[in-house]
Amino acid sequence: GMELDSLSMNPVSIPKVKKVLRSITKVQTEKLTEYVLTLKTADDIVKYIKKQTKHILPGDIKKLHIVDGQI
């Protein structure tokens, strides 16, 4: 949805991120991105992402958190 060409992450996160990316369509990511950009705080974004992805990674998504204003 944001037209990213690459991602940087901890190697342990790669399987989880792959699972999420393979379970959502481009149209869905575009809609998600459009909505997320209307949110005012990083906390609001994290809450929304957790809600939208809990069916994909029920236990793992709970670990998503904010450090120094970044997700």
Side-chain angles (χ1 to χ4, degrees):
M2 295 179 71
E3 302 295 326
L4 299 174
D5 293 326
S6 64
L7 299 171
S8 177
M9 69 191 75
N10 179 319
V12 174
S13 300
I14 293 172
K16 297 171 189 173
V17 171
K18 277 179 145 180
K19 184 175 182 179
V20 171
L21 294 176
R22 289 178 176 164
S23 67
I24 190 167
T25 68
K26 184 176 182 200
V27 171
Q28 289 171 314
T29 60
E30 289 168 348
K31 289 180 182 179
L32 178 83
T33 301
E34 186 177 310
Y35 181 75
V36 164
L37 291 174
T38 69
L39 299 175
K40 301 206 184 292
T41 68
D43 189 50
D44 291 341
I45 294 169
V46 169
K47 287 178 186 174
Y48 181 74
I49 297 296
K50 284 182 179 182
K51 180 180 174 186
Q52 295 301 311
T53 60
K54 67 182 175 185
H55 66 283
I56 301 167
L57 297 171
D60 297 321
I61 203 66
K62 292 176 186 174
K63 297 175 188 171
L64 186 65
H65 62 281
I66 303 168
V67 176
D68 296 329
Q70 295 188 1
I71 299 172

